[in-house]
């Protein structure tokens, strides 16, 4: 197992700057989390140092004998998630019903790719749920259109300082907070050490730069006849921007200036030379070298996972939960396939995401947020606010924000890092220290209502136009930049 430590490394990215501006999480729940010390060693030092009584804390927000009714939508588990996460989701709703037996809960799980569209449709018909948990880029869109009630951590018994500063930006519109982060994550770079060795690459080292990724991908394909890098370019799928944007930022590009410490979003940069260089790298892998899966245009990460386990893919970007996914998939294999899968698992390595040509390292600061709807957009025209706050208090508690993110993310509530469950996951989840090491390099998606359209539609369209040959690389970038300018009213 490769261990990655930050030591005194310089923190980069928007989140890193915010961390240094707000050094400590001060909470009435206990000793503060010192974000200026963030490193795998520091995270280990605070794990398991404090106990929390979730029911007692949430009883101060909504009495445990409160009688009410709540409709709730959320992004649920999907085919690429490990079984452990499915169990924790089941445990959460069972625990909520036991804790609040008089609240009639009607929950509905939706996939990442379906949630935003179905939520928009429900809002137009005034048939939305009372509360909703959305992916991180959804908050500003719906807050800017007046659909959401103001909601801040203090409304459910916590402190704003208990959450990542970058995460709070994603729930803030025109100075007002409209939601609470449930979880936040950054991904890491994954490779198969055995494939690297057989292809003549150093099995113990990830590619240092994105240019190296292109070279390694070609070398793996040319020598072994398999896909090198797990490129993802599917349209209207969150997997695509989460894997392309780190590449775009590393080359010095961006949609706007979102990778800077204090973004203004006043200039579109998708047609910059740096952005075009990042797009060219994807073109080189897919078209020139043919070193990535042919199905990349329709692939999600769930499609890369079986390829990786079968030894047909050398590199990919994903969460620490992919290790557990591999174990789950291996259990279902038989005969020679089972042995081959075990060889892949034994050779699975995690490292920091590669840098760009100038040494810039970046990753999407992702996650989800939870919100309360205004009653006029809810089916029946009424919101049971105490019931909504009850489930929000529980989900964003140190305990459940950790458990619900156990395998693939991190707790939105920083106090989750101090729980006994954090200590357990550090001991049980291989490579978790690597993905938490990427947090300081995290860059949030632009905190704009147009972000979902840009990230889920325009950026994937740019990739597809270039990779299919519908447009040359330069033209594809220029077209995407024009579409963003038009969307933003002529920037």
């Amino acid at each position: 197992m490769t261990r990655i430590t930050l030591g005194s490394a310089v923190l980069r990215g928007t989140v890193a700057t915010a961390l240094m501006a707000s050094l400590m999480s001060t909470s009435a729940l206990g000793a503060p989390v010192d974000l200026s010390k963030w490193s795998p060693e520091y995270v280990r030092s605070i794990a398991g140092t404090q106990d929390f009584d979730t029911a007692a804390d949430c009883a101060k927000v909504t009495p445990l004998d409160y009688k009410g009714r709540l409709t709730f939508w959320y992004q649920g588990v999907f085919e690429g998630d490990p079984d452990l996460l499915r169990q924790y989701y089941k445990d959460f709703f069972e625990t909520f019903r036991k804790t609040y037996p008089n609240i009639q809960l009607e929950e509905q799980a939706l996939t990442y790719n379906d949630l935003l569209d179905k939520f928009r449709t429900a809002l137009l018909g005034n048939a939305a749920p009372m509360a909703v948990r959305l992916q991180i880029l959804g908050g500003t869109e719906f807050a800017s259109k007046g659909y959401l009630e103001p909601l801040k951590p203090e409304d459910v018994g916590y402190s704003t300082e208990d959450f990542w500063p970058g995460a709070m930006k994603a729930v803030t519109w025109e100075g007002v907070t409209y939601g609470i982060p449930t979880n936040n994550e950054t991904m890491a770079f994954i490779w198969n050490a055995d494939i690297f060795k057989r292809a003549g690459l150093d099995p113990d080292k990830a590619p240092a730069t994105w240019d190296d990724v292109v070279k390694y991908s070609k070398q793996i394909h040319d020598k072994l006849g398999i896909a090198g890098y797990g490129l993802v370019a599917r349209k209207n799928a969150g997997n695509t921007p989460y894997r392309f944007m780190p590449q775009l930022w590393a080359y010095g590009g961006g949609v706007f200036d979102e990778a800077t410490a204090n973004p203004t979003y006043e200039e579109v940069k998708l047609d910059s030379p740096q952005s075009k260089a990042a797009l060219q790298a994807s073109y080189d892998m897919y078209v020139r070298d043919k070193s990535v899966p042919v199905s990349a245009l329709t692939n999600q990460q769930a499609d890369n996972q079986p390829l990786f386990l079968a030894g047909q893919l050398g590199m990919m970007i994903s969460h620490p939960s992919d290790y557990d996914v591999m174990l789950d998939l291996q259990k279902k294999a038989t005969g020679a396939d089972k042995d081959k899968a075990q060889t892949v698992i034994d050779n699975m390595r995690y490292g920091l995401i590669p840098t760009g040509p100038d040494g810039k390292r970046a990753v999407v600061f992702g996650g989800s947020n939870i919100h309360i709807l205004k009653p006029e957009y809810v089916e029946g025209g009424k919101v049971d606010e105490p019931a909504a706050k009850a489930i929000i208090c529980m989900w964003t508690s140190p305990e459940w924000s950790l458990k619900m993110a156990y395998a693939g993310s991190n707790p939105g509530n920083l106090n989750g890092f101090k729980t006994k469950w954090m200590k357990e996951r550090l001991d049980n989840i291989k490579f978790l220290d690597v993905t938490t090491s990427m947090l300081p390099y995290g860059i949030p998606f632009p905190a704009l209502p147009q972000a979902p359209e840009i990230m889920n539609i325009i950026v994937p369209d740019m990739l597809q136009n270039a990779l299919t040959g519908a447009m040359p690389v330069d033209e594809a970038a220029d077209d995407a930049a024009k579409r963003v300018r038009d969307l933003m009213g002529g920037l």
Side-chain angles (χ1 to χ4, degrees), residues 320-400:
S321 59
D322 269 42
Y323 182 76
D324 286 331
V325 171
M326 296 300 159
L327 294 176
D328 290 342
L329 291 173
Q330 192 254 2
K331 292 176 185 175
K332 300 171 185 175
T334 58
D337 289 340
K338 194 176 189 72
D339 294 337
K340 189 173 184 178
Q342 187 60 53
T343 299
V344 171
I345 290 171
D346 292 342
N347 284 278
M348 196 172 182
R349 303 289 186 269
Y350 276 65
L352 299 183
I353 288 178
T355 69
D358 295 328
K360 181 177 178 61
R361 194 186 313 278
V363 66
V364 176
F365 187 80
S368 300
N369 307 310
I370 200 162
H371 310 274
I372 296 177
L373 279 293
K374 288 185 176 179
E376 56 265 38
Y377 302 108
V378 172
E379 187 172 9
K382 181 181 179 182
V383 170
D384 190 329
E385 188 172 301
K389 287 184 176 179
I391 202 167
I392 291 171
C393 175
M394 183 170 287
W395 199 311
T396 60
S397 67
E399 174 185 359
W400 286 104

Side-chain angles (χ1 to χ4, degrees), residues 18-149:
L19 299 188
M20 300 308 293
S22 176
L23 295 183
M24 303 183 84
S25 163
T26 55
S27 170
L29 293 174
V33 173
D34 190 343
L35 295 175
S36 69
K37 296 180 180 179
W38 197 262
S39 70
E41 294 79 13
Y42 176 71
V43 172
R44 284 189 178 276
S45 75
I46 64 173
T49 60
Q50 190 169 348
D51 293 326
F52 299 90
D53 188 336
T54 303
D57 291 335
C58 292
K60 299 172 186 176
V61 177
T62 301
L64 301 185
D65 60 356
Y66 178 79
K67 187 175 183 179
R69 174 180 171 271
L70 177 66
T71 54
F72 177 58
W73 289 7
Y74 65 100
Q75 177 196 328
V77 293
F78 75 113
E79 59 181 316
D81 288 323
D83 292 340
L84 179 63
L85 187 59
R86 301 174 194 279
Q87 185 61 48
Y88 271 126
Y89 269 71
K90 180 181 177 182
D91 291 347
F92 173 79
F93 289 108
E94 288 180 353
T95 301
F96 180 80
R97 287 185 166 93
K98 290 178 181 177
T99 306
Y100 286 97
N102 298 319
I103 293 179
Q104 179 187 342
L105 175 63
E106 300 169 20
E107 75 270 26
Q108 182 177 352
L110 298 165
T111 66
Y112 184 102
N113 296 337
D114 290 339
L115 179 54
L116 288 178
D117 286 342
K118 289 190 175 181
F119 186 54
R120 292 185 187 109
T121 300
L123 288 167
L124 292 175
N126 298 330
M130 299 177 192
V132 63
R133 176 178 175 258
L134 297 171
Q135 47 266 63
I136 196 168
L137 53 68
T140 50
E141 173 188 347
F142 299 109
S144 69
K145 295 177 180 178
Y147 292 127
L148 306 179
E149 291 281 10

Side-chain angles (χ1 to χ4, degrees), residues 108-258:
Q108 182 177 352
L110 298 165
T111 66
Y112 184 102
N113 296 337
D114 290 339
L115 179 54
L116 288 178
D117 286 342
K118 289 190 175 181
F119 186 54
R120 292 185 187 109
T121 300
L123 288 167
L124 292 175
N126 298 330
M130 299 177 192
V132 63
R133 176 178 175 258
L134 297 171
Q135 47 266 63
I136 196 168
L137 53 68
T140 50
E141 173 188 347
F142 299 109
S144 69
K145 295 177 180 178
Y147 292 127
L148 306 179
E149 291 281 10
L151 176 69
K152 57 186 183 297
E154 287 77 5
D155 295 329
V156 292
Y158 306 119
S159 168
T160 295
E161 287 71 32
D162 290 332
F163 298 83
W164 287 96
M168 293 307 301
K169 286 184 178 180
V171 291
T172 302
W173 176 250
E174 295 186 342
V176 178
T177 304
Y178 288 94
I180 303 172
T182 59
N183 59 288
N184 296 108
E185 73 259 4
T186 49
M187 292 187 276
F189 196 85
I190 306 172
W191 74 97
N192 182 320
D194 178 60
I195 288 176
F196 269 40
K197 184 177 181 179
R198 290 190 286 118
L201 300 167
D202 188 334
D204 296 319
K205 290 184 179 179
T209 68
W210 277 101
D211 288 342
D212 288 338
V213 172
V214 177
K215 295 174 185 175
Y216 285 24
S217 189
K218 183 178 189 303
Q219 188 164 330
I220 290 169
H221 177 263
D222 290 350
K223 290 200 172 187
L224 304 179
I226 62 175
Y229 174 63
L231 180 69
V232 173
R234 183 170 177 164
K235 183 176 177 178
N236 198 23
N239 286 176
T240 301
Y242 272 83
R243 283 154 184 79
F244 180 69
M245 293 306 295
Q247 182 178 327
L248 185 71
W249 291 325
Y251 275 95
V255 177
F256 306 99
D257 59 347
E258 67 274 7

